[in-house]
Amino acid sequence: MKKEFRPHPNDRHNLLCYLSSMLITFFGFYSFTYLVTWLTIEKTGDPQLLGNVMAMTMLPAIGLNLVAGRVLKYYSAKQMMFITDILTGILFIGAYYALNTVSWQITCLVIVAVLNKSIGVFYKLSNKTILPDLFAPVNIQIVNGYQTQIRQLAIVSATMLVTMALLWVTPATLILIMGIAFLVSAGLDWQFRTRSNLSSDSVVTVKLDRHRSWPTWSLLYAVLGYLVDATIAVAVPWLVVSKLHSHWPLSWFLTANATGILLAPLLLKRWSKQSLLTLTAFTGGCLLLMWPTFASLMITMFLIGALRGQINISFFTTIQQIPTNNRNILMTGVLTVIDTTTVIGSLLAPRLILMLGSWTLPLLGGGILLFCLTRLIILLNNQKQSSSDIDENC
């Protein structure tokens, strides 16, 4: 059944402000990430240095999630988004002046990249936490779908936009433009109308019962998904270079994956009743077919993009709709687990490739599929047992 955005008090105003803010933030973040990549290679020609820079920017996310969760106890998610966008804007404007005055530009860029990622940890938590305060529950999944599409559009187009912009402006000027854009995004953040302030639409919250309401299985499916993402990020480029003996197919595979993610919200509207278990099982089945041929990787990368997009939308919608007055703690735990899984997957994937070679992705898919089938059998047995108990009581 097709889902449409339903009008609720202030939801349309919030939707316009929220999506506009997301558009600026995502384009700014991914454009800056690509700019750092381009400048590092352009200035040094050292891919190892680039790898070290990317690793350094990822480190803050591991420890700062817990810090961000504590800070969110004292500031609302709206205030946190506003503050982080302001800080990012000031950081980029400061970077513009620094790049025009100092000779150690790469070092300056690395510092800015690490600080930007650190600020982004606080922004990500507040962004995931604020949706129930901005939109009615019936609209949260739809908004998550819009956000997924905007994010993927930013990833796909950032490279092209930055490359074109560098034909007319310097890298420092481009960073200045990004900084000003983040200040505009902060203004949009401040215009959010939270539902907790609406007398006509009160929000009922209850304390989360960890033993009964903690989304253990949903989180486990999400962990498997992010483990797949991390493994694919390493395994597919390796397959392209070592088995297909070429570099150009990688861009086609990444485009296919991005196209699948862009279509995920549309697919979720038509098949909204598909559970996380089912979507995870289909993901495992796709991995079974990921053999080092152009046709196989092209098709499976598209399908996995579509499935992973649906899983992420459904998962975060489930988390955001859990009734709790400790949403910041819940989301902090979720994001910490997810980020840790990504790091573990990135470290584990090369070792799996060394041991298993081209069988890495199919064997991972087989393990996931076996897990999902076992879980499904247990659920069916529990359902039969419950039906039997009801019949006996009758």
Side-chain angles (χ1 to χ4, degrees):
M1 182 175 171
K2 188 176 180 180
K3 291 187 176 182
E4 299 291 345
F5 190 85
R6 302 182 184 179
H8 285 261
N10 290 320
D11 275 19
R12 292 196 180 277
H13 168 84
N14 284 336
L15 183 67
L16 178 61
C17 293
Y18 183 79
L19 294 184
S20 299
S21 176
M22 290 300 96
L23 186 66
I24 294 172
T25 301
F26 285 144
F27 270 97
F29 178 82
Y30 290 108
S31 295
F32 178 75
T33 300
Y34 174 70
L35 186 61
V36 171
T37 301
W38 183 85
L39 282 175
T40 302
I41 293 296
E42 178 73 14
K43 297 290 185 181
T44 68
D46 185 0
Q48 183 61 48
L49 176 61
L50 177 61
N52 293 338
V53 170
M54 294 296 102
M56 288 178 64
T57 59
M58 284 296 295
L59 288 176
I62 299 175
L64 285 178
N65 272 318
L66 298 177
V67 177
R70 291 187 175 275
V71 173
L72 205 56
K73 287 183 178 181
Y74 305 101
Y75 295 93
S76 67
K78 172 183 173 179
Q79 291 172 326
M80 184 86 83
M81 290 180 69
F82 174 77
I83 292 171
T84 52
D85 272 339
I86 288 286
L87 290 176
T88 305
I90 294 173
L91 175 66
F92 282 8
I93 293 172
Y96 164 75
Y97 288 105
L99 289 173
N100 283 323
T101 56
V102 301
S103 58
W104 32 280
Q105 292 189 349
I106 298 301
T107 303
C108 178
L109 277 175
V110 172
I111 294 172
V112 173
V114 171
L115 291 175
N116 180 43
K117 182 64 177 180
S118 300
I119 295 171
V121 172
F122 293 82
Y123 181 89
K124 183 179 180 180
L125 176 60
S126 55
N127 173 263
K128 293 296 184 183
T129 306
I130 198 173
L131 287 190
D133 292 334
L134 296 183
F135 304 103
V138 70
N139 289 328
I140 289 178
Q141 179 173 300
I142 300 171
V143 176
N144 276 325
Y146 290 150
Q147 183 183 128
T148 297
Q149 290 176 317
I150 291 175
R151 179 178 180 273
Q152 201 60 36
L153 181 63
I155 294 173
V156 172
S157 58
T159 301
M160 179 184 65
L161 291 176
V162 170
T163 302
M164 292 178 60
L166 288 174
L167 296 175
W168 290 282
V169 299
T170 64
T173 303
L174 191 54
I175 291 175
L176 174 64
I177 295 172
M178 294 178 193
I180 296 172
F182 271 101
L183 296 181
V184 174
S185 179
L188 293 169
D189 297 338
W190 197 252
Q191 294 183 46
F192 293 159
R193 300 171 185 171
T194 56
R195 297 171 66 82
S196 57
N197 294 330
L198 301 177
S199 58
S200 61
D201 193 9
S202 59
V203 179
V204 179
T205 58
V206 296
K207 190 172 183 180
L208 183 68
D209 183 345
R210 293 185 180 181
H211 299 288
R212 193 176 55 177
S213 301
W214 179 260
T216 304
W217 287 106
S218 295
L219 185 57
L220 184 55
Y221 301 141
V223 165
L224 291 175
Y226 281 93
L227 183 62
V228 168
D229 291 343
T231 306
I232 285 178
V234 178
V236 170
W238 176 80
L239 288 172
V240 170
V241 174
S242 64
K243 301 300 179 181
L244 301 184
H245 306 291
S246 177
H247 292 277
W248 68 267
L250 181 59
S251 62
W252 285 97
F253 299 152
L254 295 178
T255 300
N257 188 254
T259 303
I261 295 174
L262 282 170
L263 292 177
L266 302 178
L267 296 174
L268 197 60
K269 286 181 181 180
R270 294 186 176 275
W271 296 292
S272 58
K273 292 184 179 180
Q274 296 297 330
S275 66
L276 287 173
L277 174 59
T278 302
L279 293 171
T280 303
F282 281 141
T283 302
C286 286
L287 289 174
L288 280 174
L289 304 176
M290 292 194 79
W291 297 100
T293 65
F294 182 85
S296 174
L297 290 175
M298 191 72 177
I299 294 170
T300 52
M301 284 292 281
F302 170 79
L303 292 175
I304 285 178
L307 290 166
R308 291 291 300 122
Q310 292 180 75
I311 290 172
N312 283 337
I313 295 170
S314 298
F315 170 70
F316 281 108
T317 299
T318 299
I319 299 299
Q320 289 158 347
Q321 290 180 339
I322 292 176
T324 173
N325 53 4
N326 293 318
R327 192 171 308 282
N328 60 317
I329 298 175
L330 174 62
M331 194 61 71
T332 296
V334 167
L335 293 180
T336 300
V337 170
I338 286 174
D339 287 341
T340 303
T341 300
T342 302
V343 173
I344 292 174
S346 300
L347 296 174
L348 186 62
R351 291 169 172 78
L352 290 176
I353 291 171
L354 289 175
M355 290 189 300
L356 304 175
S358 300
W359 288 90
T360 299
L361 293 174
L363 287 176
L364 176 61
I368 292 175
L369 192 58
L370 180 61
F371 167 81
C372 291
L373 290 176
T374 302
R375 173 64 178 161
L376 180 60
I377 292 172
I378 293 173
L379 287 175
L380 290 175
N381 286 336
N382 290 340
Q383 187 176 8
K384 289 180 180 179
Q385 184 64 39
S386 298
S387 300
S388 176
D389 291 341
I390 292 174
D391 291 340
E392 288 178 3
N393 291 332
C394 291

Short mmCIF file of all heavy atoms in Angstrom, two decimals, residues 172-203:
data_model
loop_
_atom_site.label_atom_id
_atom_site.label_comp_id
_atom_site.label_asym_id
_atom_site.label_seq_id
_atom_site.Cartn_x
_atom_site.Cartn_y
_atom_site.Cartn_z
N ALA A 172 40.06 27.01 -1.37
CA ALA A 172 39.76 27.80 -0.17
C ALA A 172 38.43 28.54 -0.31
O ALA A 172 37.62 28.59 0.62
CB ALA A 172 40.89 28.79 0.10
N THR A 173 38.19 29.11 -1.49
CA THR A 173 36.93 29.82 -1.73
C THR A 173 35.75 28.86 -1.67
O THR A 173 34.68 29.20 -1.14
CB THR A 173 36.96 30.52 -3.10
OG1 THR A 173 38.08 31.42 -3.15
CG2 THR A 173 35.67 31.30 -3.34
N LEU A 174 35.93 27.65 -2.18
CA LEU A 174 34.87 26.65 -2.14
C LEU A 174 34.54 26.29 -0.69
O LEU A 174 33.36 26.13 -0.33
CB LEU A 174 35.31 25.42 -2.92
CG LEU A 174 34.24 24.36 -3.20
CD1 LEU A 174 33.03 24.96 -3.89
CD2 LEU A 174 34.83 23.23 -4.05
N ILE A 175 35.55 26.17 0.15
CA ILE A 175 35.32 25.88 1.57
C ILE A 175 34.59 27.05 2.23
O ILE A 175 33.71 26.85 3.09
CB ILE A 175 36.66 25.59 2.27
CG1 ILE A 175 37.23 24.26 1.76
CG2 ILE A 175 36.48 25.52 3.79
CD1 ILE A 175 38.60 23.93 2.30
N LEU A 176 34.91 28.28 1.85
CA LEU A 176 34.21 29.46 2.38
C LEU A 176 32.73 29.40 2.02
O LEU A 176 31.86 29.68 2.87
CB LEU A 176 34.85 30.73 1.83
CG LEU A 176 34.13 32.05 2.19
CD1 LEU A 176 34.16 32.28 3.69
CD2 LEU A 176 34.77 33.22 1.44
N ILE A 177 32.42 29.04 0.78
CA ILE A 177 31.02 28.93 0.35
C ILE A 177 30.30 27.88 1.18
O ILE A 177 29.15 28.06 1.61
CB ILE A 177 30.95 28.60 -1.16
CG1 ILE A 177 31.51 29.76 -1.98
CG2 ILE A 177 29.52 28.29 -1.57
CD1 ILE A 177 31.66 29.44 -3.45
N MET A 178 30.97 26.75 1.42
CA MET A 178 30.39 25.70 2.27
C MET A 178 30.12 26.23 3.68
O MET A 178 29.07 25.93 4.28
CB MET A 178 31.33 24.50 2.34
CG MET A 178 31.54 23.76 1.04
SD MET A 178 32.74 22.39 1.27
CE MET A 178 33.10 21.99 -0.44
N GLY A 179 31.05 26.99 4.22
CA GLY A 179 30.88 27.53 5.56
C GLY A 179 29.66 28.44 5.65
O GLY A 179 28.87 28.35 6.60
N ILE A 180 29.47 29.30 4.66
CA ILE A 180 28.30 30.19 4.64
C ILE A 180 27.02 29.37 4.52
O ILE A 180 26.01 29.66 5.17
CB ILE A 180 28.42 31.20 3.47
CG1 ILE A 180 29.63 32.13 3.70
CG2 ILE A 180 27.15 32.02 3.33
CD1 ILE A 180 29.94 33.03 2.53
N ALA A 181 27.06 28.32 3.70
CA ALA A 181 25.89 27.45 3.53
C ALA A 181 25.51 26.78 4.85
O ALA A 181 24.32 26.64 5.17
CB ALA A 181 26.16 26.40 2.46
N PHE A 182 26.50 26.38 5.64
CA PHE A 182 26.20 25.75 6.94
C PHE A 182 25.54 26.75 7.89
O PHE A 182 24.70 26.37 8.71
CB PHE A 182 27.47 25.17 7.56
CG PHE A 182 27.75 23.76 7.15
CD1 PHE A 182 28.69 23.46 6.17
CD2 PHE A 182 27.06 22.71 7.72
CE1 PHE A 182 28.94 22.15 5.78
CE2 PHE A 182 27.29 21.39 7.35
CZ PHE A 182 28.24 21.12 6.37
N LEU A 183 25.90 28.01 7.81
CA LEU A 183 25.25 29.03 8.63
C LEU A 183 23.78 29.19 8.22
O LEU A 183 22.90 29.40 9.06
CB LEU A 183 25.99 30.37 8.52
CG LEU A 183 27.44 30.38 9.04
CD1 LEU A 183 28.04 31.77 8.88
CD2 LEU A 183 27.50 29.95 10.51
N VAL A 184 23.51 29.10 6.91
CA VAL A 184 22.13 29.12 6.43
C VAL A 184 21.37 27.91 6.96
O VAL A 184 20.21 28.01 7.39
CB VAL A 184 22.09 29.14 4.88
CG1 VAL A 184 20.66 29.01 4.37
CG2 VAL A 184 22.74 30.42 4.35
N SER A 185 22.04 26.75 6.96
CA SER A 185 21.41 25.53 7.49
C SER A 185 21.06 25.69 8.97
O SER A 185 20.01 25.22 9.42
CB SER A 185 22.36 24.34 7.29
OG SER A 185 21.80 23.15 7.82
N ALA A 186 21.93 26.37 9.73
CA ALA A 186 21.65 26.62 11.14
C ALA A 186 20.38 27.45 11.30
O ALA A 186 19.57 27.21 12.21
CB ALA A 186 22.84 27.32 11.79
N GLY A 187 20.20 28.43 10.41
CA GLY A 187 18.97 29.23 10.45
C GLY A 187 17.73 28.39 10.21
O GLY A 187 16.69 28.61 10.85
N LEU A 188 17.85 27.43 9.31
CA LEU A 188 16.72 26.52 9.06
C LEU A 188 16.46 25.63 10.27
O LEU A 188 15.30 25.35 10.62
CB LEU A 188 17.01 25.66 7.83
CG LEU A 188 17.06 26.41 6.49
CD1 LEU A 188 17.62 25.50 5.41
CD2 LEU A 188 15.68 26.91 6.10
N ASP A 189 17.53 25.17 10.93
CA ASP A 189 17.37 24.35 12.14
C ASP A 189 16.57 25.08 13.20
O ASP A 189 15.73 24.49 13.89
CB ASP A 189 18.74 23.97 12.72
CG ASP A 189 19.56 23.11 11.78
OD1 ASP A 189 18.97 22.47 10.89
OD2 ASP A 189 20.80 23.09 11.92
N TRP A 190 16.84 26.37 13.35
CA TRP A 190 16.19 27.15 14.41
C TRP A 190 14.70 27.36 14.15
O TRP A 190 13.95 27.67 15.06
CB TRP A 190 16.89 28.50 14.57
CG TRP A 190 16.56 29.17 15.86
CD1 TRP A 190 15.79 30.27 16.05
CD2 TRP A 190 16.97 28.74 17.16
NE1 TRP A 190 15.69 30.56 17.38
CE2 TRP A 190 16.41 29.64 18.09
CE3 TRP A 190 17.76 27.68 17.62
CZ2 TRP A 190 16.63 29.51 19.46
CZ3 TRP A 190 17.96 27.56 18.98
CH2 TRP A 190 17.40 28.47 19.88
N GLN A 191 14.28 27.16 12.91
CA GLN A 191 12.87 27.35 12.57
C GLN A 191 12.03 26.10 12.81
O GLN A 191 10.80 26.14 12.62
CB GLN A 191 12.74 27.78 11.11
CG GLN A 191 13.33 29.14 10.80
CD GLN A 191 13.11 29.55 9.36
OE1 GLN A 191 12.01 29.42 8.82
NE2 GLN A 191 14.16 30.03 8.70
N PHE A 192 12.66 25.00 13.24
CA PHE A 192 11.89 23.79 13.53
C PHE A 192 10.86 24.09 14.62
O PHE A 192 11.16 24.76 15.61
CB PHE A 192 12.81 22.66 14.01
CG PHE A 192 13.76 22.15 12.97
CD1 PHE A 192 14.91 21.47 13.35
CD2 PHE A 192 13.52 22.32 11.63
CE1 PHE A 192 15.80 20.98 12.40
CE2 PHE A 192 14.39 21.84 10.67
CZ PHE A 192 15.53 21.17 11.06
N ARG A 193 9.68 23.53 14.45
CA ARG A 193 8.62 23.64 15.46
C ARG A 193 8.43 22.26 16.08
O ARG A 193 7.82 21.38 15.48
CB ARG A 193 7.32 24.12 14.82
CG ARG A 193 7.42 25.50 14.16
CD ARG A 193 6.17 25.81 13.37
NE ARG A 193 6.28 27.07 12.64
CZ ARG A 193 5.40 27.48 11.73
NH1 ARG A 193 4.34 26.73 11.44
NH2 ARG A 193 5.58 28.64 11.11
N THR A 194 8.95 22.09 17.28
CA THR A 194 8.89 20.78 17.92
C THR A 194 7.49 20.49 18.42
O THR A 194 6.79 21.38 18.92
CB THR A 194 9.89 20.68 19.07
OG1 THR A 194 9.64 21.73 20.00
CG2 THR A 194 11.31 20.81 18.55
N ARG A 195 7.11 19.23 18.31
CA ARG A 195 5.75 18.82 18.69
C ARG A 195 5.53 18.92 20.20
O ARG A 195 4.40 19.05 20.66
CB ARG A 195 5.50 17.38 18.22
CG ARG A 195 5.56 17.25 16.71
CD ARG A 195 5.54 15.80 16.27
NE ARG A 195 4.27 15.19 16.60
CZ ARG A 195 3.18 15.31 15.87
NH1 ARG A 195 3.19 16.04 14.78
NH2 ARG A 195 2.08 14.70 16.22
N SER A 196 6.59 18.87 20.98
CA SER A 196 6.45 18.96 22.44
C SER A 196 5.95 20.33 22.87
O SER A 196 5.47 20.50 23.98
CB SER A 196 7.80 18.68 23.11
OG SER A 196 8.78 19.57 22.63
N ASN A 197 6.07 21.32 21.96
CA ASN A 197 5.61 22.67 22.29
C ASN A 197 4.20 22.94 21.81
O ASN A 197 3.69 24.05 21.96
CB ASN A 197 6.55 23.71 21.65
CG ASN A 197 7.94 23.66 22.26
OD1 ASN A 197 8.09 23.31 23.41
ND2 ASN A 197 8.95 23.99 21.45
N LEU A 198 3.57 21.94 21.20
CA LEU A 198 2.24 22.15 20.65
C LEU A 198 1.18 21.67 21.63
O LEU A 198 1.13 20.51 21.99
CB LEU A 198 2.09 21.39 19.32
CG LEU A 198 3.09 21.76 18.22
CD1 LEU A 198 2.86 20.87 17.01
CD2 LEU A 198 2.97 23.22 17.85
N SER A 199 0.32 22.55 22.04
CA SER A 199 -0.73 22.19 22.99
C SER A 199 -1.75 21.26 22.36
O SER A 199 -2.39 20.46 23.03
CB SER A 199 -1.44 23.45 23.51
OG SER A 199 -2.00 24.17 22.41
N SER A 200 -1.92 21.37 21.02
CA SER A 200 -2.91 20.56 20.33
C SER A 200 -2.42 19.18 19.95
O SER A 200 -3.16 18.36 19.44
CB SER A 200 -3.37 21.28 19.04
OG SER A 200 -2.26 21.46 18.18
N ASP A 201 -1.18 18.93 20.20
CA ASP A 201 -0.60 17.65 19.77
C ASP A 201 0.41 17.19 20.79
O ASP A 201 1.59 17.21 20.57
CB ASP A 201 0.06 17.82 18.40
CG ASP A 201 0.38 16.47 17.77
OD1 ASP A 201 -0.06 15.45 18.32
OD2 ASP A 201 1.07 16.46 16.74
N SER A 202 -0.05 16.80 21.92
CA SER A 202 0.84 16.41 23.01
C SER A 202 1.51 15.10 22.69
O SER A 202 1.00 14.25 21.96
CB SER A 202 0.05 16.27 24.32
OG SER A 202 -0.95 15.30 24.16
N VAL A 203 2.69 14.92 23.24
CA VAL A 203 3.48 13.73 23.01
C VAL A 203 3.52 12.90 24.28
O VAL A 203 3.88 13.41 25.35
CB VAL A 203 4.92 14.09 22.58
CG1 VAL A 203 5.73 12.82 22.38
CG2 VAL A 203 4.89 14.93 21.30
#
